[in-house]
Amino acid sequence: MALNYIWILFFLIAFVFALAKLIFLGDTEAFKVLVDGMFDSSKSSVMDIALPLVGNMALWLGIMNIGEEAGAIRFLSRIVGPFLNKLFPDVPKDHPANGQMMMNFSANLLGLDNAATPLGLKAMGSLQELNPNKETASNAQIMFLVLHTSGLQLLPVTIIAQRFILHAKDPADIFIPCIIATYVATVVGMLAVAIKQKINLFDRVIISWLGGLTAFITLLVWCFTAYLTKEQISTVSKVASNLMLFTIPVIFILGAIRKKVNVFEAFIDGAKNGFEVSVKIIPYLVAMLVAISVFRNCGALGYLNDGLRWAVSRLHWDTRFVDAMPVAYMKPLSGSGSKAMMINTMQTFGPDSFAGRLGCIFNGSADTTFYIVALYFGSVGIKKSRYAIPAGLIADFAGIIAAILVAYLFFG
């Protein structure tokens, strides 16, 4: 399993770097920093992630159960079924997983992280029911996970809000670059998995849906830039995402009432699974976040950036993008880590600097591959991830390249 080797590698790299600091630099705190980070990460894995997730899981699993009882999930499955059936040929047309995956994608599109995770875990659980080998990721699970890790997002609300807090002149000026970068990452990730799974990418349905989605995103970007100011873009983003977040449960409730479902009992039945799922993922979270912590704290990222700067300068290329690269390094490893790097980059170079803006685009271009693999596969007991991580990293790399190019196009 790729995750096994990566996990081992993180610890070995951290040990070598810390030992080198102790022997050659006389840094007597090198191993203390690693140990302190291990304890802090193991604590935050439970106290800051798993336990708070219980509430969100209970809430959204309860709402999802209302939607299932009301028939909303089946209705959504019929709408997106033709497209998903081509990408997920092993999933039956009317299976609830189709609607659940679409709900997860919709939450991601709107930047609703708190809702997207429970919805995604629910979808992964449904896909696991169809998985003949319970310890090995199925083709459908890998496609779903890579689409999720590519992080397609139309409303980067939290990034815009953070830029506003740091007094950026135009907090929403990274809106279009973020959309372009994350869309490139999603399409590349999907194509990589489709080629591996020998899915016919020239199928009329796939081309129609991809063309329609591309046209929709293009139209949305054009409308935002042509008719809204920077401040209005930020306001519309926040209002639209929160409006959608509250509209979904209201629609489910109204549909359940129409079908004469006991709404409260349906919610309770679904919410009961929230604690069980949250507890199940704790060991996976602790393992992944502790490994990421020691890798980050050993200083490997700093040396990696110095090496990249040297290589770029030798090629006589512009090196401004290197200042924001720590955000790109951290994004596949840790969402909170990449956010901290993004904020640090804006504080160091300024929110309106090239590096500050690029750091924001990096943070919005993809999702946390290793964290999501550990979380989603761990929630259903999958031990062999097959090619999920390489495919996710391909999407991440495409997002990084796209982010750099659009940053130079818009701000260079």
Side-chain angles (χ1 to χ4, degrees):
M1 180 179 179
L3 197 57
N4 174 52
Y5 299 115
I6 292 169
W7 194 82
I8 294 172
L9 191 62
F10 281 174
F11 275 91
L12 294 181
I13 290 174
F15 178 80
V16 171
F17 273 71
L19 189 62
K21 287 182 177 180
L22 177 63
I23 295 174
F24 298 109
L25 302 178
D27 185 357
T28 57
E29 297 290 314
F31 282 97
K32 182 179 184 302
V33 170
L34 297 185
V35 173
D36 289 345
M38 289 173 59
F39 285 118
D40 290 341
S41 295
S42 60
K43 177 182 177 181
S44 64
S45 300
V46 178
M47 303 304 295
D48 299 332
I49 298 179
L51 290 183
L53 185 60
V54 173
N56 285 329
M57 286 294 298
L59 171 65
W60 286 100
L61 289 182
I63 291 173
M64 283 291 289
N65 197 50
I66 294 173
E68 290 179 4
E69 293 286 343
I73 304 300
R74 289 189 296 273
F75 175 75
L76 188 60
S77 298
R78 287 196 295 271
I79 295 177
V80 299
F83 179 58
L84 292 184
N85 287 339
K86 300 298 182 179
L87 291 183
F88 300 89
D90 298 331
V91 179
K93 293 183 178 180
D94 296 327
H95 197 275
N98 290 314
Q100 293 162 359
M101 287 189 290
M102 196 61 203
M103 291 291 294
N104 171 260
F105 296 148
S106 299
N108 272 329
L109 285 172
L110 297 170
L112 307 175
D113 296 337
N114 290 338
T117 299
L119 297 174
L121 291 173
K122 178 70 172 177
M124 184 61 74
S126 294
L127 293 175
Q128 181 70 348
E129 294 175 2
L130 300 171
N131 186 4
N133 190 342
K134 301 302 181 184
E135 292 190 355
T136 302
S138 66
N139 286 348
Q141 288 173 316
I142 293 174
M143 175 65 84
F144 171 63
L145 187 129
V146 171
L147 290 177
H148 184 61
T149 59
S150 64
L152 182 59
Q153 185 178 152
L154 297 182
L155 301 173
V157 178
T158 55
I159 297 174
I160 293 174
Q162 193 61 58
R163 288 180 53 77
F164 177 80
I165 292 171
L166 293 178
H167 307 293
K169 183 178 179 181
D170 294 316
D173 59 5
I174 47 81
F175 171 72
I176 297 176
C178 278
I179 291 179
I180 296 173
T182 188
Y183 185 64
V184 169
T186 299
V187 172
V188 170
M190 185 194 72
L191 293 178
V193 178
I195 292 172
K196 177 68 176 178
Q197 297 181 1
K198 298 181 180 179
I199 294 173
N200 181 15
L201 294 172
F202 297 101
D203 184 90
R204 182 179 61 183
V205 175
I206 292 180
I207 292 177
S208 299
W209 272 82
L210 284 180
L213 183 58
T214 302
F216 171 74
I217 291 176
T218 303
L219 180 63
L220 180 69
V221 169
W222 178 77
C223 290
F224 269 58
T225 54
Y227 297 105
L228 300 178
T229 65
K230 305 293 185 181
E231 293 76 12
Q232 288 173 329
I233 289 175
S234 179
T235 301
V236 170
S237 297
K238 289 185 289 187
V239 171
S241 60
N242 286 291
L243 175 63
M244 183 64 70
L245 185 62
F246 197 76
T247 299
I248 290 172
V250 170
I251 292 176
F252 285 180
I253 290 171
L254 292 176
I257 292 174
R258 181 174 176 272
K259 286 204 167 186
K260 298 180 180 180
V261 174
N262 188 320
V263 178
F264 183 75
E265 287 188 4
F267 177 87
I268 297 300
D269 289 340
K272 287 177 181 178
N273 297 321
F275 182 79
E276 179 183 346
V277 174
S278 299
V279 170
K280 186 184 295 184
I281 64 175
I282 287 177
Y284 298 91
L285 286 178
V286 172
M288 198 69 244
L289 295 183
V290 166
I292 290 170
S293 171
V294 297
F295 180 71
R296 182 178 68 237
N297 291 333
C298 74
L301 290 179
Y303 294 120
L304 180 62
N305 217 40
D306 292 339
L308 177 63
R309 189 185 304 278
W310 177 84
V312 171
S313 63
R314 290 296 297 269
L315 293 171
H316 305 292
W317 293 350
D318 185 87
T319 61
R320 285 180 297 166
F321 76 92
V322 180
D323 294 325
M325 285 303 293
V327 183
Y329 302 147
M330 284 304 302
K331 190 59 181 180
L333 302 174
S334 167
S336 58
S338 65
K339 181 179 179 181
M341 289 291 188
M342 177 190 74
I343 294 171
N344 179 260
T345 301
M346 286 194 287
Q347 289 174 333
T348 302
F349 300 98
D352 293 319
S353 66
F354 182 83
R357 285 169 166 147
L358 179 55
C360 293
I361 301 171
F362 278 146
N363 203 42
S365 65
D367 215 325
T368 51
T369 297
F370 291 104
Y371 169 79
I372 290 175
V373 168
L375 179 68
Y376 279 59
F377 283 172
S379 69
V380 293
I382 287 177
K383 297 179 180 179
K384 299 178 181 178
S385 60
R386 298 171 66 199
Y387 52 89
I389 291 178
L393 292 178
I394 289 172
D396 291 339
F397 182 72
I400 290 171
I401 298 301
I404 294 173
L405 293 178
V406 297
Y408 277 105
L409 178 64
F410 280 81
F411 310 115

